[in-house]
Amino acid sequence: NDDGIAKVLGLLWNSRKDSLHFQVSLKSDSVSNKVTKRSILSMSSQIFDPLGLVGPVIVKVKLMLQGLWKLDLGWDDEVPSDILHSWNNFQVQIQKLDLLEIPRQVLCDAPIDVQIHCFCDASQVCYGAAIYMRSTDKKGNHHVNLLCAKSRVAPLKVISLPRLELCGALLLARLAQVVIEALNINYSSITYWCDSSVVLCWLAGEPVQWTTFVGNRVAEIQGLTKKSAWKHVRSESNAADIISRGLHWEQLHSCR
């Protein structure tokens, strides 16, 4: 249109600023105003975020849906007041995503060096992965941008935090493999960052050394990545921390 806005794969692209934007308008299919598990699932599925760019916000509704499953509610039963309050707050928050502006270009012009940095993290409720591109221009300036991210809620069956961290590492390895196959660029290095010393110890060993749960996941990760590419990062510097815990829109908007 006249503002230079066009729809691209479900997102809005501002051709003048070369930036991506979200247009979220949650609509209920229910004829009543009753909020149920069915209506929350239906409305939350309308949020289209294929690259996981607003994953920390989406995590909030994923955890809400998991909470509904734990309560064993019927599809058309009204949700409890605390979840209703959280859902109403989420609807207000999600409308503000229209204000978010994300640069489409993840590499600088004519880069002399490109690196891929991959991060994974986990909490007791969720685990996630995020991939960043670092490009260097001719003047030696570094440019870092988020390429994509992905998250999963922790299973209903309680498992230890190190095992959740391992699930996050596997999610990252799979996501990175998809990215490598899709990108048609030359890069000098790819590094996988994890803040769990236990997971790094597992990955440094052989799958047969560990239990079935750990061994199977270690074997797949080692098949997708090189052992030497895995490095330790301090928890406070882990870029995947926010997607493993979730954020409100205001926090995401101010996040750098």
Side-chain angles (χ1 to χ4, degrees), residues 6-237:
K7 283 191 175 182
V8 180
L9 299 176
L11 301 177
L12 295 181
W13 173 48
N14 187 322
S15 59
R16 295 179 179 176
K17 295 182 178 180
D18 197 16
S19 58
L20 298 175
H21 302 259
F22 288 84
Q23 187 177 42
V24 181
S25 179
L26 301 184
K27 298 178 181 179
S28 176
D29 296 330
S30 175
V31 294
S32 68
N33 293 323
K34 186 169 65 172
V35 177
T36 65
K37 182 165 68 174
R38 187 190 304 276
S39 64
I40 291 179
L41 179 60
S42 174
M43 294 174 69
S44 61
S45 63
Q46 298 172 27
I47 305 170
F48 187 68
D49 181 28
L51 295 177
L53 300 177
V54 291
V57 176
I58 307 302
V59 161
K60 291 291 186 180
V61 76
K62 288 183 178 181
L63 294 173
M64 197 183 307
L65 286 167
Q66 187 184 62
L68 289 174
W69 283 105
K70 289 180 180 179
L71 294 175
D72 198 25
L73 293 176
W75 281 105
D76 297 310
D77 294 338
E78 283 196 75
V79 301
S81 58
D82 57 332
I83 293 183
L84 176 61
H85 179 70
S86 298
W87 172 245
N88 289 335
N89 285 339
F90 177 80
Q91 289 187 87
V92 173
Q93 293 284 326
I94 205 69
Q95 301 300 330
K96 296 179 181 179
L97 287 182
D98 296 357
L99 304 175
L100 198 62
E101 185 176 298
I102 302 171
R104 184 193 63 84
Q105 186 175 355
V106 295
L107 299 179
C108 64
D109 295 327
I112 61 173
D113 180 64
V114 175
Q115 298 178 5
I116 304 176
H117 290 271
C118 313
F119 297 83
C120 62
D121 199 11
S123 66
Q124 292 291 355
V125 295
C126 185
Y127 57 90
I131 297 180
Y132 288 79
M133 306 294 294
R134 194 191 88 157
S135 56
T136 306
D137 60 28
K138 295 179 180 179
K139 295 182 179 180
N141 299 315
H142 301 304
H143 305 262
V144 180
N145 285 292
L146 174 66
L147 179 64
C148 61
K150 202 165 189 177
S151 66
R152 292 281 186 272
V153 294
L156 292 176
K157 180 182 178 181
V158 178
I159 62 176
S160 66
L161 185 57
R163 288 192 172 194
L164 286 174
E165 295 271 12
L166 181 62
C167 290
L170 177 57
L171 180 67
L172 176 61
R174 290 172 176 172
L175 181 61
Q177 184 65 25
V178 172
V179 167
I180 292 170
E181 293 175 355
L183 287 179
N184 187 26
I185 61 171
N186 295 321
Y187 56 90
S188 61
S189 65
I190 179 169
T191 307
Y192 302 86
W193 299 95
C194 178
D195 61 12
S196 172
S197 299
V198 175
V199 170
L200 293 175
C201 177
W202 283 337
L203 294 178
E206 297 300 323
V208 295
Q209 295 178 255
W210 318 119
T211 61
T212 302
F213 181 97
V214 174
N216 288 343
R217 286 157 180 79
V218 167
E220 184 174 349
I221 293 171
Q222 291 179 347
L224 295 172
T225 65
K226 294 180 180 179
K227 287 184 180 181
S228 59
W230 285 89
K231 307 293 183 182
H232 182 266
V233 61
R234 293 182 301 174
S235 297
E236 57 269 24
S237 301

